[in-house]
Amino acid sequence: MSTQLNESIARVRGLVVEYPGYLGIVNTLEDAMTLCRDHGVARNYLCVGKSGTGKSTIKDMMRIHHPDSVQQNGLRMPILAVDTPALPTMKNFAEAILIKLNDPCYGRGTAMEKTARITNFVQQCGVELIIFDELQHFVDQGRSKSHMMVADWMKSLLDGVSVPTVLMGLERSAELLKVNEQLRRRFSQRLPLEAFDFDDDKDRGNFIGVMTNLLECFHEYPQIELSNVEAVKRLHFATNGVIDAMVRLLIATYEIVEHRKVQVIDPDLLAEAFRIGIWAEAPHNHNPFHKSFKWKRLDQPGMPFHEVLS
């Protein structure tokens, strides 16, 4: 690949498009930090959405807006962001939190002792917002008894820290809250991060706006047609309105453009890019850019946008 294409890919991967849904959540979290700082009120939120809709971007941006710093009395960490381990237990989840808090003895002690250390470190580091991401990993364990234990432990932890907390994950993450009514009440406020809905006028406009911003990263190359309603609808079917899929489709498209030195991006090229970037096994009638496409969402089992809900 040329330096020019590599730079374009780096730009599109690093681009944060501040569309209304993203800004709404960021502003809500900023307000929650201010409320707790000024009045000691800790609000909690459940932020769920499909894979690729930008949850992790919000987490990363909050950390960038409120970076760690080293002060005379030690590390200051306004945002404590922890990814749930892939095979989580209370033990390794507590250890993951302590590792983020730079506890050199993260593996020592009982669950109760680790919880007490987490509470102390949160206070010492001046944590103003806690984000637990990838929460669906607890649900994916599939054991209701462990769900209850984790929920009980998390409720106790939050009672101790009294800091605004966000639970993030795929839509099935909400299952964890069903086993503990007190925890469910604490996270009754939801911050849904939805894929763009083509049938909603505002969402369709936001989809086109985000795609336009992403395409600007490839401004040296031929552009994809966005003024034609059918062309935009095919792009939406191909990406399901999910930003991560939009990025993958564009990268695959411009790798083909670069390799073949073409001057026009036609449906055949986009159909190939869809197979490269989104769904390698896509039959013609499920490829949104093929003339035999069925005009049905690709969200059934075996398709790229199918997600297990429970």
Side-chain angles (χ1 to χ4, degrees):
M1 288 189 294
S2 68
T3 300
Q4 179 175 283
L5 182 59
N6 284 333
E7 290 175 350
S8 296
I9 291 174
R11 282 198 299 267
V12 79
R13 287 197 181 280
L15 183 66
V16 176
V17 184
E18 296 183 340
Y19 63 95
Y22 166 90
L23 285 176
I25 293 177
V26 169
N27 290 337
T28 296
L29 298 184
E30 293 285 356
D31 289 345
M33 293 173 66
T34 301
L35 179 65
C36 190
R37 191 185 306 126
D38 294 347
H39 301 287
V41 177
R43 287 181 172 169
N44 302 314
Y45 303 92
L46 178 65
C47 180
V48 296
K50 296 182 184 298
S51 178
T53 51
K55 297 181 298 297
S56 294
T57 299
I58 290 172
K59 173 189 67 178
D60 294 340
M61 286 301 104
M62 291 300 295
R63 294 208 66 203
I64 290 172
H65 294 162
H66 302 277
D68 297 350
S69 60
V70 178
Q71 302 182 352
Q72 287 185 342
N73 58 348
L75 175 67
R76 184 176 183 278
M77 183 184 295
I79 310 294
L80 170 61
V82 182
D83 290 344
T84 304
L87 297 173
T89 62
M90 279 194 301
K91 178 177 181 294
N92 66 16
F93 188 48
E95 290 176 0
I97 298 170
L98 289 170
I99 289 171
K100 282 288 185 178
L101 290 165
N102 287 343
D103 180 3
C105 304
Y106 63 86
R108 296 181 186 174
T110 63
M112 187 176 297
E113 290 169 341
K114 288 176 182 174
T115 303
R117 292 214 308 279
I118 291 170
T119 301
N120 289 335
F121 273 113
V122 164
Q123 294 171 350
Q124 291 173 18
C125 295
V127 173
E128 298 183 52
L129 178 71
I130 297 173
I131 301 175
F132 293 141
D133 198 5
E134 305 290 356
L135 198 70
Q136 73 276 357
H137 289 163
F138 277 117
V139 177
D140 294 344
Q141 293 289 84
R143 295 191 296 272
S144 58
K145 183 179 180 180
S146 65
H147 295 172
M148 287 188 286
M149 292 174 64
V150 168
D152 287 343
W153 174 79
M154 190 173 290
K155 181 184 72 68
S156 298
L157 175 64
L158 297 181
D159 287 344
V161 296
S162 297
V163 170
T165 301
V166 185
L167 304 182
M168 283 186 171
L170 300 180
E171 292 164 323
R172 61 184 179 273
S173 300
E175 294 293 317
L176 183 63
L177 303 182
K178 292 181 178 180
V179 299
N180 187 300
E181 183 180 352
Q182 291 181 318
L183 189 64
R184 185 166 64 252
R185 286 203 303 268
R186 281 169 170 78
F187 289 91
S188 60
Q189 292 182 270
R190 296 204 175 193
L191 302 174
L193 198 57
E194 307 285 356
F196 298 115
D197 182 355
F198 192 84
D199 295 326
D200 180 273
D201 290 343
K202 282 189 177 180
D203 258 17
R204 184 168 61 252
N206 288 331
F207 173 74
I208 295 171
V210 170
M211 184 63 82
T212 300
N213 284 332
L214 295 175
L215 280 167
E216 287 176 359
C217 296
F218 300 93
H219 60 86
E220 305 95 339
Y221 295 93
Q223 293 293 289
I224 294 174
E225 176 62 55
L226 293 180
S227 60
N228 180 282
V229 175
E230 181 180 309
V232 172
K233 193 171 185 178
R234 288 181 185 274
L235 286 168
H236 192 275
F237 271 100
T239 61
N240 209 38
V242 173
I243 293 179
D244 179 67
M246 295 161 71
V247 170
R248 287 186 282 123
L249 179 66
L250 291 185
I251 290 174
T253 296
Y254 286 104
E255 286 177 341
I256 297 172
V257 169
E258 168 85 3
H259 177 67
R260 297 182 186 170
K261 308 299 180 186
V262 300
Q263 298 303 312
V264 177
I265 298 175
D266 60 20
D268 288 341
L269 190 152
L270 288 170
E272 184 176 349
F274 177 78
R275 290 192 297 273
I276 293 171
I278 307 294
W279 189 12
E281 300 83 13
H284 292 330
N285 60 1
H286 289 321
N287 188 320
F289 303 106
H290 195 274
K291 59 184 179 183
S292 61
F293 180 55
K294 287 184 174 182
W295 296 97
K296 292 184 178 181
R297 290 287 160 204
L298 306 177
D299 56 4
Q300 299 304 304
M303 296 183 178
F305 303 114
H306 175 255
E307 290 188 10
V308 179
L309 299 180
S310 62

